[in-house]
Amino acid sequence: MKRFENIENVFFIGIGGIGMSALARYFAHIGKQVSGYDKTPSFLTEKLINEGILVQFEDNIENIPFEFQDTSKTLVVFTPAVSTENLLFQYFEKNRFLLKKRAAILGEISSEMKTLAVAGTHGKTTTTAILAHLLAENGVKLTAFLGGISENYQSNVILKGNEVMVVEADEFDRSFLQLKPDMAAITSMDADHLDIYGGKEALLESFSLFASTVPQEKLFYKNGLPLKGKSIGINEMADFSAENIEIKKGQYNFSLRTPKDIYGNFEFSLPGKHNLSNAVTALAMAIEYGIPVEKLRISLATFEGVERRFTYRIKNEGFVLIDDYAHHPAEITAVANAVKEMYPNRKVLAVFQPHLFSRTRDFANEFAESLAAFDKVLLLDIYPAREKPIAGINSEMLLHKIENPHKKLISKDQLLTEIKASDCSVVLLMGAGDIGEEALKITKLLRREN
């Protein structure tokens, strides 16, 4: 990349984040020395270390590698989640290093490649992963930045060339307005990140600005959104729609209606109509890019999913354990509908770890309504992430709002015992915090006992 020719070292503050670790891998791939800091070890930081990237877990400037102390050859990348109280951040800022947000770096990369971007408060990660897979399977030389771990590639970045960039466009902190896309999709525009936007109208305005970065004929959006472009639907009048939908052997079989024709016999393995909508969006963008429909039919059937997006940890006749990233009421409802569709006569236990005090406060009633739909509910404490506690906002407050007699507030230490004691044969673990790591621990323990 011409923009980074003079840069030899890239240091990441918050390298363990899903988007930051993808960028770290990208820079290592193009020959830069990469190092970084994160406050806690995780599955992602372990993978980075195994790939030869130096990661430190102490906010201590003495741990900065010598090569990275050269201001003329070092780029420092950070996320909005990084506190200005961070000592590393203060050191780099005080010494006038080239200091840029992750979103700005993605914007610079997108300016040098044909860029296909997927935005939306829900669905963007899965849609981006499907689109990247469809293009990669058909020989497109692409770089893809994903907001999750693709099951097909076991990575959050796909590095197969620099002709095309496929990127998840994040609305948090208005990051997606830094991108320069040639084609874009918007999967949803539900209220979220109100700690950043203040209200839904500001969020909608931001999405409208993102939509305006591409011509209308290059914008794909979920039918019903207040946008102009090419609409995406499920069994409805839209420019691209899934029709004649059936479930065969646990997966969808459907026809794809396009502005030109109807094409049958598509297969897709991810449960839930929301995921089917994501697949149609990715197919529409791939068709617009120029991939023949017949080839896309074959490629879609080989898509394996995204880690923690309705991921089956255990799946047998008597018991199913599903791990999902759902952290917004609309996402919980979508997962609930998917479970009912796949397991219509089974009792379902939902374990939910709320993510962020502000999100729990802003959507407490909606969370309560979405969680009440399950047979039984277990709540964990709120995962704070970047936030400090808010008075009166906690999981006990949320528990009281859930109109379900079978509900309970528990600690992580009680989770395995509660699952084993439950008479529910389908268990869902949901949330965007560290519940994913708990899911892996519980899976190992349950398998060991059986």
Side-chain angles (χ1 to χ4, degrees):
M1 298 294 292
K2 292 181 181 179
R3 288 176 179 264
F4 306 113
E5 281 181 351
N6 296 326
I7 296 297
E8 295 181 4
N9 316 299
V10 188
F11 191 94
F12 289 83
I13 307 177
I15 196 170
I18 193 72
M20 291 282 275
S21 59
L23 263 182
R25 285 175 164 142
Y26 167 78
F27 277 109
H29 176 74
I30 64 172
K32 309 299 181 184
Q33 285 196 95
V34 177
S35 182
Y37 157 82
D38 211 281
K39 60 182 179 181
T40 53
S42 66
F43 167 75
L44 282 172
T45 57
E46 182 180 345
K47 291 198 72 171
L48 291 175
I49 292 168
N50 290 339
E51 292 166 15
I53 294 173
L54 180 64
V55 181
Q56 64 185 71
F57 299 102
E58 292 183 21
D59 183 14
N60 187 343
I61 63 174
E62 292 181 4
N63 293 337
I64 300 172
F66 176 76
E67 299 90 336
F68 290 75
Q69 296 176 33
D70 186 340
T71 58
S72 65
K73 298 179 180 179
T74 301
L75 166 67
V76 180
V77 185
F78 69 101
T79 72
V82 171
S83 169
T84 54
E85 298 175 3
N86 181 278
L87 297 179
L88 293 166
F89 180 87
Q90 290 179 356
Y91 167 81
F92 288 122
E93 185 177 46
K94 180 181 178 181
N95 289 281
R96 298 185 178 181
F97 279 76
L98 181 59
L99 195 64
K100 293 197 174 189
K101 287 185 179 180
R102 177 182 66 91
I105 298 298
L106 282 175
E108 291 192 28
I109 297 172
S110 73
S111 69
E112 294 193 7
M113 283 190 262
K114 183 180 180 69
T115 298
L116 282 61
V118 180
T121 44
H122 338 292
K124 58 182 176 289
T125 297
T126 300
T127 305
T128 306
I130 299 171
L131 176 60
H133 177 72
L134 294 176
L135 298 185
E137 283 288 287
N138 286 284
V140 177
K141 297 177 180 178
L142 84 163
T143 294
F145 294 99
L146 313 177
I149 304 296
S150 165
E151 298 280 12
N152 289 85
Y153 305 93
Q154 287 300 302
S155 179
N156 53 352
V157 63
I158 302 173
L159 302 164
K160 291 184 174 291
N162 56 8
E163 291 182 3
V164 176
M165 174 177 170
V166 175
V167 61
E168 176 170 325
D170 189 2
E171 74 279 3
F172 176 71
D173 197 39
R174 297 175 173 84
S175 294
F176 57 1
L177 298 182
Q178 302 266 9
L179 297 171
K180 300 167 183 63
D182 299 279
M183 187 190 305
I186 297 178
T187 60
S188 53
M189 289 164 40
D190 293 315
D192 199 4
H193 302 301
L194 299 187
D195 55 322
I196 298 295
Y197 287 97
K200 186 175 181 179
E201 288 305 314
L203 176 75
L204 294 178
E205 180 183 355
S206 191
F207 271 105
S208 295
L209 286 172
F210 173 75
S212 69
T213 60
V214 297
Q216 283 187 17
E217 65 272 15
K218 298 292 183 180
L219 177 69
F220 299 82
Y221 68 95
K222 184 179 180 181
N223 206 17
L225 295 180
L227 297 168
K228 293 182 179 180
K230 295 179 179 178
S231 56
I232 306 295
I234 302 291
N235 278 331
E236 58 188 317
M237 291 299 296
D239 293 301
F240 293 84
S241 179
E243 301 181 353
N244 306 316
I245 303 166
E246 297 180 296
I247 297 177
K248 295 182 178 180
K249 297 180 180 179
Q251 66 180 18
Y252 288 116
N253 186 284
F254 66 98
S255 299
L256 177 69
R257 177 184 290 276
T258 76
K260 293 183 178 180
D261 208 343
I262 299 177
Y263 304 89
N265 297 319
F266 278 85
E267 295 179 354
F268 184 61
S269 61
L270 269 64
K273 292 295 196 306
H274 61 298
N275 280 322
L276 190 55
S277 178
N278 296 334
V280 174
T281 304
L283 286 167
M285 295 180 77
I287 290 170
E288 178 67 28
Y289 180 78
I291 307 296
V293 175
E294 294 300 322
K295 290 186 175 182
L296 292 174
R297 181 188 286 116
I298 297 169
S299 301
L300 184 67
T302 63
F303 179 72
E304 297 174 7
V306 179
E307 181 79 5
R308 299 209 66 232
R309 268 63 174 186
F310 213 94
T311 297
Y312 286 102
R313 298 299 181 192
I314 298 175
K315 185 180 183 182
N316 54 50
E317 289 186 8
F319 182 76
V320 175
L321 180 66
I322 299 166
D323 183 13
D324 198 275
Y325 191 70
H327 58 286
H328 184 281
E331 294 168 348
I332 294 172
T333 298
V335 172
N337 292 337
V339 169
K340 290 176 183 177
E341 187 176 37
M342 293 296 165
Y343 303 100
N345 300 311
R346 306 272 285 270
K347 291 182 71 174
V348 181
L349 168 66
V351 182
F352 179 56
Q353 181 189 52
H355 184 260
L356 298 179
F357 296 102
S358 61
R359 183 180 282 124
T360 306
R361 175 198 62 200
D362 294 338
F363 302 104
N365 293 332
E366 292 85 350
F367 274 124
E369 183 178 355
S370 63
L371 289 167
F374 297 100
D375 296 291
K376 295 185 178 181
V377 180
L378 297 176
L379 277 188
L380 296 173
D381 286 334
I382 296 173
Y383 186 82
R386 60 185 179 270
E387 291 186 337
K388 294 180 179 180
I390 298 174
I393 305 302
N394 51 47
S395 289
E396 188 173 359
M397 174 275 295
L398 178 57
L399 187 76
H400 287 312
K401 289 179 174 287
I402 300 172
E403 294 185 3
N404 185 324
H406 307 292
K407 60 183 180 180
K408 192 175 183 181
L409 179 62
I410 66 167
S411 66
K412 293 175 190 173
D413 293 339
Q414 298 172 289
L415 190 49
L416 179 62
T417 301
E418 291 289 341
I419 290 174
K420 289 168 64 177
S422 174
D423 62 347
C424 295
S425 60
V426 178
V427 177
L428 283 171
L429 301 176
M430 298 181 292
D434 59 3
I435 190 171
E437 295 185 23
E438 292 299 315
L440 294 176
K441 294 176 187 176
I442 287 182
T443 299
K444 288 180 181 178
L445 291 170
L446 288 175
R447 283 178 174 166
R448 189 181 301 163
E449 293 180 7
N450 294 320

